[in-house]
Amino acid sequence: ALLGCQTGSPQAAAQPAAASAPAAAAPAQPALQAEEPDRYPAKVPQYPRGPHAPRRHPLLTGATGFLGAHLLRALLEQGAEEVTCLVRGDPQRLYDALAWYFGRGWVQNHLGSIRTVQGDLCRDGLGLEDAVRSGLQNRTDIVYHTAADVRHYGSYDDFYQINTLGTARMVRFCLEGGLPLRHVSTASISGDRLTACPGQNALFCETDFDIGQNWRDNVYLKTKFLAEWQVYQAMEQGLDARVFRVGRLVGRSSDGVFQRDPGNNAFRGMLMGLAAVKAVPALLARMPVELTPVDLCARSILALEDAPLTAWHITQADPQPLGQLAAQLFPGIPTVDDSEFDRLLAAQSGSAAALVEQWNSLKQFIPRITVSNAETHRFLAMANQQWPHFSAAAVLCALLSGPAEKGE
């Protein structure tokens, strides 16, 4: 899915369409296997109401990433005494990322509240010695798992190893330690059409899991769907878990700051292609464009801690049609009929290559599944965390301008 609430990670929409099978010689798997059953449940399991999960000493994966960094800041703002971050490789990567997003002064002021542990989601036991892993479990009171492979392209094995088996390893870590898990997924697991009835409209709600959508068609979506399945299986074994399906992450609502290198972002490629063609096709112009500011996403995840559902859709409630958005970003850009747009697009050279791929896919399959976030926003309102109005142009400015120097 390219547009609307179907889109999760910024890169998810333009993944290769075909998902190949995992290699026969897969790495050693944790006790929770990622094997596929014949059929998946239509609904997510119900969340068992229990005592409030404290978050004074959370463990966070993916903290060097766009959402992970902002979730780290939100946890500290909301009273976490110390956030432990599982980091692969040199821990300095984390501090460099935090300095870029929030400034070196912010990092210096919070050094005493940030702890790093070198680990690896692609290794059994998270790559930790038994004593280190046990000690980490003992001093952790909740786990936030945001780490994922969201690249534009890649092999199924790479996505599967990090997204699916990485989640299985975090699930096992939580089960062993008796820890609550808060797993970040993507609203894109909704797919964009029903496999058996591709022309039929459908609604994908917070309580839905497998409604017959085409989640197998895309390597990113498939491995994120299977990651959710790891969580739901473990809930049957007593795991306290929540799943947060996030939308298309864009710049902060406060100042528009986006991820450090947006150059390979599929949505950016589409917008820059429209700017190059200097026109918007009628088909695209009327489609809603879902935008999720990263700071609002992080705060929403924390605000829903005591709400009753298992899965939540952290997506924009009232997305604009692309035609309106394009007019804000590129004043004077016209909407043309689809055949005229095909002619204009054919006249372009490589500057619109990303748009060509997405436009051809969209013409073949118009999205038919709508992601409902009604319950999510109802409970956010009850928690006094309604999303404020934000300017779409403002949260996309850094996305369109490309990499920038920050971090002073």
Side-chain angles (χ1 to χ4, degrees):
L2 304 180
L3 303 169
C5 292
Q6 296 94 335
T7 306
S9 79
Q11 291 80 19
Q15 296 295 333
S20 58
Q29 297 182 6
L32 285 174
Q33 301 294 304
E35 297 172 355
E36 295 190 46
D38 294 334
R39 179 178 298 178
Y40 293 90
K43 300 292 184 180
V44 303
Q46 291 187 342
Y47 180 73
R49 296 299 296 269
H52 174 80
R55 50 189 183 213
R56 292 186 297 274
H57 299 279
L59 172 66
L60 174 64
T61 73
T64 59
F66 188 38
L67 176 57
H70 285 82
L71 188 56
L72 169 57
R73 183 176 73 165
L75 283 164
L76 293 175
E77 288 176 345
Q78 297 195 20
E81 297 174 11
E82 181 182 71
V83 180
T84 300
C85 302
L86 187 72
V87 180
R88 183 179 57 187
D90 186 357
Q92 187 59 40
R93 293 173 52 239
L94 171 63
Y95 300 110
D96 290 344
L98 296 176
W100 195 91
Y101 288 122
F102 312 124
R104 299 193 183 280
W106 185 92
V107 175
Q108 287 297 322
N109 290 337
H110 292 86
L111 279 177
S113 301
I114 301 171
R115 180 188 182 107
T116 60
V117 173
Q118 289 181 270
D120 191 344
L121 290 173
C122 294
R123 296 176 60 190
D124 288 344
L126 306 180
L128 304 174
E129 297 291 337
D130 290 347
V132 173
R133 187 170 62 255
S134 177
L136 181 58
Q137 290 165 332
N138 289 337
R139 68 171 178 267
T140 296
D141 50 29
I142 191 169
V143 174
Y144 290 89
H145 178 45
T146 75
D149 187 340
V150 295
R151 293 173 302 154
H152 189 132
Y153 291 103
S155 72
Y156 182 86
D157 288 343
D158 291 340
F159 284 101
Y160 181 77
Q161 178 65 215
I162 297 175
N163 294 346
T164 305
L165 294 186
T167 298
R169 293 180 178 105
M170 289 309 304
V171 162
R172 180 165 180 80
F173 176 88
C174 291
L175 284 173
E176 289 177 342
L179 298 170
L181 174 65
R182 304 298 178 251
H183 171 66
V184 173
S185 185
T186 170
S188 294
I189 71 152
S190 67
D192 56 17
R193 61 188 181 275
L194 299 176
T195 302
C197 307
Q200 177 180 318
N201 293 332
L203 194 66
F204 189 79
C205 300
E206 288 94 340
T207 55
D208 289 325
F209 183 46
D210 190 350
I211 63 171
Q213 74 271 32
N214 61 322
W215 58 265
R216 293 177 176 86
D217 290 353
N218 177 292
V219 294
Y220 173 75
L221 304 190
K222 180 175 181 178
T223 54
K224 291 297 284 185
F225 180 96
L226 293 175
E228 283 197 23
W229 177 234
Q230 295 300 306
V231 175
Y232 301 145
Q233 285 180 289
M235 290 180 70
E236 302 293 333
Q237 303 177 42
L239 178 67
D240 175 345
R242 296 285 184 84
V243 172
F244 300 96
R245 297 165 175 165
V246 305
R248 176 186 285 111
L249 293 176
V250 294
R252 292 196 293 250
S253 63
S254 58
D255 56 14
V257 169
F258 190 57
Q259 64 194 57
R260 287 187 287 177
D261 183 10
N264 64 351
N265 182 279
F267 184 54
R268 179 179 188 269
M270 185 184 72
L271 292 177
M272 298 305 290
L274 293 176
V277 176
K278 297 182 174 63
V280 180
L283 178 60
L284 274 180
R286 60 178 177 265
M287 289 189 171
V289 182
E290 192 280 325
L291 305 174
T292 297
V294 67
D295 52 343
L296 300 184
C297 183
R299 291 202 294 268
S300 296
I301 289 172
L302 301 186
L304 292 166
E305 178 59 42
D306 293 322
L309 299 183
T310 296
W312 301 94
H313 291 165
I314 314 295
T315 58
Q316 185 182 9
D318 52 351
Q320 285 183 300
L322 180 60
Q324 292 181 18
L325 177 61
Q328 296 175 37
L329 297 173
F330 315 117
I333 192 169
T335 296
V336 300
D337 65 52
D338 295 345
S339 59
E340 173 63 9
F341 184 78
D342 283 333
R343 186 188 68 79
L344 294 172
L345 187 59
Q348 289 295 318
S349 57
S351 60
L355 175 60
V356 170
E357 178 183 351
Q358 297 177 64
W359 173 237
N360 289 338
S361 175
L362 183 63
K363 287 191 297 182
Q364 184 178 8
F365 295 110
I366 297 175
R368 296 292 184 182
I369 297 179
T370 299
V371 173
S372 171
N373 54 25
E375 286 298 285
T376 299
H377 282 276
R378 183 167 75 88
F379 280 97
L380 285 174
M382 292 171 61
N384 294 316
Q385 289 292 326
Q386 301 96 324
W387 284 20
H389 172 76
F390 61 88
S391 164
V395 299
L396 291 174
C397 61
L399 169 67
L400 294 175
S401 61
E405 295 297 326
K406 284 189 80 279
E408 291 306 320

